[in-house]
Amino acid sequence: MLPPVNPAGRPPGKSAPAEAFVPDLSEGAETGVYLALLELLDEGLIITGDEVIVDANSAACRLLGREYRQVAGRPLAELFPSEQDFLATRSRLFIQGEQRGLVSFGLAEGGQRTLQVIAAPRLRPGIHALILSPAPTLAADAEPAAGTDAVWPRLAAAVSQPVLVVDDRNIVHAANAAALAALGVEREALVGRPAGACLGVIWPADGGAPVAQLAPAPDCHLSARVLPGPRRGWRILLLPHMASPPVTTTAATAAARPAQSAEARAMYLACHDMLTGLPNRRLFEAHFGDSLARAVGRCGSIGVLRIDLDNFKAVNQAHGDAVGDAALRQLAPRLSVAAGQNALVARERSDSFLVLLPDLDLTSMAGRCADALLAAVAQPLPCGEHTLQLSASIGVALFPQDGRSLEALLRNARTALAHAHRVGGNNFQYFRGLPDNPGEDEDYFEAGLRDALAHDRLALHFQPLVDARSGALQAGEALLRWQHPELGLLPFRRFIGAVSDPGLHARIGDWVLRRACRNASAWPAHGAPLRVTVNVAVEQLMHGDFARNVREALQDSGLAAERLELDLDEKVLEEDGAGLHDTLRAISAMGVRLAVDDFGRGLSSIPRLKRYPVKALKLDPALVRDVGKSEESEAIVEAIASMAGTLGLDVFARGVEDAAQQAFLCALDCHLQQGPLFGRPLPEREFAVFLETAPPGQAPGRPPLP
């Protein structure tokens, strides 16, 4: 089933719209454009999806002789006198593409009624709009004279999303008030004129993404969604909300406009940043509310990103505020394009921006968006006589795991952003800390962690890594836990985001390394010795002599170097420092195995893999969880597995939850797997006892594949 469209209709049994249509550019919004006309048209309007009636207006119910509850949510076939009539009409309208014709419908009280039907081309796969009117006195196949089709201009006028209708001659046929306000032009300067001349339209190539590029003024460039129009060759353009007026509106011009246009302009000014034309915090909050309702309804996810330009204050100091403002104006459309068609980019203040990613199917999509935003910022910015080279830091928080309110997500995105700043800027970080739990203060947690480190109140749990073909245990991954005196046992993710001191972060990581090596050296030997895997924070690599710390941990514990695997965050691959390169080379030369953890969040790191002595990749658990649920996730996993094989790297899977995921991964030669299917993390002592009592090499979870 398709995800729900933006609601504009009525719940069953009611006769008035439940809420006003709130337009946006998220997936399915084009359906909302049609639904916005539900009670504004004299014609009947039916929206169908997968041969089920999604919604209908009162006029359609009157024409069909049925109550609303007898139409909405019912199979489309029920409107026809017979199954044969339905199949024949479906073939004409939905398969053969007939756009106008006479159709006989069955009435609820018996009998039939013939109606004129206009079938809009599909809005999305499986989604269609049918416009009904009484049968005309003219022949059914007579083509209306040009300009007599009033439905589509009224469609554009009825919605608050900026909408343009362009005919088959590339002439702008209709434009609503929102589009005129967004473009800053009068109606006569647009309607009836060639789209190429007044809008600078570059239409998408055949087979390409349905996005047109518009340049209505020399310094204004924006993207618009392209939908099929009411007739063959016609097109509808949905402009984004962030479209900024490309010309300055003088007081005299504003005074001369009709009241409706002035009101639309005032609404625009209230919801947008005047320097960049991007939405402001107010509009961002409104869109988050809409996205939250959809996410809750479809058990989906939302991404909230905070962007800070690195050291932008120096630009204003060196070149003046005028250059800084020019840079921000140029950067705004870049960010909007990089974020993607469904995203909303807002300016929060000065050099800070917010990004809303609604309807996320994969949490890793937020990472790929952050990579695209970083690349957009890094492109040179020509500002008059100066060319600026900027970078940015980004913090990412995800609904629902990082918070269930906008305030919580923004707060946690700020925490992640601070982490990105601490590791040097020009990177993005996911939030990895406190949940949406008011009263848990970051300073309180950090002070408590210092005390816990000093008084040995930290602990390790170990989760098995197995060969899914045989069920043989291959390694144990060390996972940090904190025995909090008031909150009980806390997992690493719960508290690590509260650590603002990189030095404390590094000391905690070194404690984990030493403790894990000491545990592994005491594990009983059953066949081949088990490896121990330890996660390494970026802060450990950037502070102190980490290679020396590894050498001392091995010497103090007596653990053989080949039994230690260090799992590096994928963001380490984006660091270019010679010191980091030397550190990893030195560790690899000891015989320690290096792997990249949570791989798949930022696929831009693939070209850097061969720079470092990495032996394995561990798939991002978010990708693994979506195996069997998302074709895109499965395609990414297959691509990573294929690429790793070419580079001679092993691939591990973390977060395996069921047998279907196990089998899919094994088919890709990804046999080393870890997750709830194979056993939960066990405290140090329990894991050691299991190793002593279990059959040689046997993992505590699911048996191997037959």
Side-chain angles (χ1 to χ4, degrees):
M1 291 290 292
L2 291 165
V5 297
N6 295 331
R10 301 170 288 267
K14 295 189 178 182
S15 59
E19 59 181 351
F21 170 60
V22 180
D24 60 29
L25 277 180
S26 61
E27 184 176 357
E30 56 266 33
T31 307
V33 172
Y34 296 86
L35 289 175
L37 296 175
L38 281 173
E39 300 304 329
L40 298 172
L41 292 179
D42 297 328
E43 293 82 358
L45 179 63
I46 294 176
I47 303 294
T48 72
D50 292 334
E51 299 182 6
V52 173
I53 301 171
V54 176
D55 217 329
N57 66 351
S58 299
C61 296
R62 288 194 302 271
L63 289 169
L64 295 169
R66 298 169 184 260
E67 297 181 10
Y68 177 78
R69 60 184 175 82
Q70 296 175 310
V71 179
R74 306 298 301 170
L76 183 61
E78 291 186 1
L79 298 184
F80 293 85
S82 67
E83 182 73 14
Q84 184 176 1
D85 291 327
F86 164 66
L87 294 175
T89 302
R90 184 187 66 171
S91 176
R92 286 169 51 198
L93 301 181
F94 300 160
I95 299 175
Q96 299 174 24
E98 183 177 324
Q99 292 185 318
R100 293 173 181 271
L102 295 177
V103 175
S104 293
F105 293 93
L107 302 178
E109 302 300 327
Q112 299 182 21
R113 176 173 294 167
T114 299
L115 300 174
Q116 172 77 47
V117 174
I118 300 175
R122 65 179 186 176
L123 313 183
R124 294 172 54 208
I127 298 287
H128 300 265
L130 299 178
I131 298 172
L132 313 180
S133 58
T137 56
L138 299 176
D141 57 352
E143 178 70 20
T148 62
D149 190 348
V151 171
W152 297 92
R154 278 190 287 152
L155 183 153
V159 296
S160 54
Q161 173 116 15
V163 177
L164 302 171
V165 181
V166 180
D167 66 17
D168 55 352
R169 299 172 299 157
N170 207 33
I171 301 297
V172 179
H173 186 74
N176 64 355
L180 297 175
L183 296 171
V185 299
E186 302 290 346
R187 186 176 302 276
E188 57 269 18
L190 191 63
V191 177
R193 298 191 58 202
C198 59
L199 296 173
V201 178
I202 301 177
W203 298 102
D206 292 340
V211 178
Q213 302 301 319
L214 277 64
D219 58 346
C220 178
H221 301 273
L222 54 109
S223 301
R225 174 84 169 171
V226 181
L227 304 179
R231 303 178 188 173
R232 188 179 303 277
W234 287 43
R235 286 167 283 197
I236 297 174
L237 291 174
L238 297 186
L239 276 61
H241 286 287
M242 63 284 296
S244 161
V247 297
T248 302
T249 304
T250 65
T253 303
R257 288 184 174 178
Q260 184 180 10
S261 179
E263 183 180 351
R265 176 66 177 168
M267 183 178 296
Y268 177 89
L269 295 175
C271 297
H272 291 77
D273 171 63
M274 288 301 94
L275 176 64
T276 63
L278 292 174
N280 59 17
R281 174 70 176 263
R282 176 182 177 184
L283 188 56
F284 186 90
E285 291 176 353
H287 275 258
F288 177 82
D290 300 335
S291 302
L292 181 63
R294 291 197 301 274
V296 171
R298 64 193 289 265
C299 298
S301 184
I302 302 171
V304 173
L305 283 62
R306 278 188 181 272
I307 306 174
D308 271 2
L309 300 182
D310 296 331
N311 202 26
F312 190 74
K313 185 182 295 185
V315 173
N316 288 327
Q317 293 174 344
H319 305 294
D321 291 343
V323 172
D325 289 349
L328 293 174
R329 281 193 295 268
Q330 287 194 56
L331 193 59
R334 286 192 187 181
L335 294 176
S336 297
V337 172
Q341 185 70 22
N342 292 339
L344 179 75
V345 179
R347 186 184 181 210
E348 186 177 26
R349 64 182 183 277
S350 184
D351 57 348
S352 298
F353 301 86
L354 300 174
V355 180
L356 176 67
L357 302 177
D359 306 322
L360 286 182
D361 293 322
L362 296 173
T363 55
S364 56
M365 292 168 62
R368 294 198 289 278
C369 176
D371 275 328
L373 291 166
L374 291 173
V377 173
Q379 295 297 315
L381 275 174
C383 298
E385 299 177 355
H386 307 281
T387 298
L388 305 180
Q389 194 76 47
L390 304 178
S391 65
S393 298
I394 301 176
V396 181
L398 301 171
F399 170 88
Q401 57 263 49
D402 297 333
R404 294 180 172 272
S405 67
L406 179 59
E407 292 74 16
L409 290 169
L410 288 173
R411 182 176 65 248
N412 293 337
R414 183 186 296 112
T415 299
L417 175 62
H419 185 195
H421 282 306
R422 287 197 302 272
V423 298
N426 194 26
N427 72 96
F428 76 88
Q429 296 291 330
Y430 284 93
F431 174 72
R432 299 180 183 277
L434 303 174
D436 184 11
N437 194 349
E440 295 182 358
D441 182 76
E442 292 184 10
D443 294 335
Y444 168 76
F445 266 89
E446 184 163 344
L449 274 171
R450 294 181 188 276
D451 184 68
L453 187 61
H455 295 89
D456 201 29
R457 282 197 289 270
L458 299 178
L460 294 183
H461 286 199
F462 290 91
Q463 187 169 25
L465 175 72
V466 307
D467 186 328
R469 296 168 297 184
S470 62
L473 186 62
Q474 300 294 309
E477 180 181 9
L479 303 172
L480 180 62
R481 300 290 186 264
W482 176 15
Q483 188 62 51
H484 193 280
E486 299 174 5
L487 301 175
L489 190 67
L490 301 180
F492 173 81
R493 178 180 173 84
R494 177 77 175 271
F495 57 81
I496 199 60
V499 180
S500 59
D501 179 7
L504 175 60
H505 208 307
R507 291 197 298 276
I508 292 173
D510 290 340
W511 181 92
V512 172
L513 174 64
R514 292 176 178 274
R515 184 69 166 255
C517 290
R518 191 161 61 246
N519 272 272
S521 66
W523 289 344
H526 289 305
L530 298 181
R531 292 197 310 273
V532 60
T533 66
V534 179
N535 293 284
V536 177
V538 176
E539 289 83 354
Q540 287 176 267
L541 296 169
M542 299 298 184
H543 291 80
D545 189 343
F546 183 62
R548 184 187 65 188
N549 294 342
V550 172
R551 185 180 297 106
E552 291 177 353
L554 293 172
Q555 291 173 349
D556 293 346
S557 64
L559 184 71
E562 59 269 16
R563 291 186 58 197
L564 175 62
E565 176 179 280
L566 299 180
D567 291 351
L568 311 174
D569 190 284
E570 185 184 6
K571 299 301 291 183
V572 171
L573 298 178
E574 299 185 8
E575 301 294 333
D576 291 319
L580 174 62
H581 187 275
D582 293 342
T583 295
L584 296 181
R585 289 287 181 188
I587 294 172
S588 179
M590 299 176 198
V592 175
R593 180 182 173 93
L594 298 178
V596 178
D597 202 15
D598 292 345
F599 193 82
R601 284 180 175 158
L603 298 182
S604 63
S605 58
I606 288 176
R608 301 172 180 258
L609 281 172
K610 297 304 289 183
R611 296 187 185 182
Y612 299 110
V614 173
K615 302 298 183 185
L617 305 177
K618 291 193 172 182
L619 294 172
D620 182 355
L623 287 174
V624 176
R625 281 195 300 269
D626 287 327
V627 166
K629 305 172 186 177
S630 165
E631 292 183 1
E632 180 182 356
S633 179
E634 292 174 355
I636 293 173
V637 171
E638 288 186 41
I640 293 174
S642 175
M643 176 271 302
T646 302
L647 297 178
L649 303 175
D650 293 331
V651 180
F652 298 178
R654 297 176 58 232
V656 180
E657 298 175 343
D658 56 49
Q661 293 171 348
Q662 177 191 10
F664 177 86
L665 293 163
C666 282
L668 299 176
D669 288 331
C670 180
H671 303 297
L672 297 174
Q673 300 179 18
Q674 179 183 8
L677 184 65
F678 303 103
R680 62 181 179 85
L682 298 173
E684 297 166 273
R685 189 178 299 277
E686 289 184 29
F687 191 76
V689 169
F690 163 75
L691 293 178
E692 291 175 354
T693 58
Q698 180 63 52
R702 183 179 177 85
L705 286 174

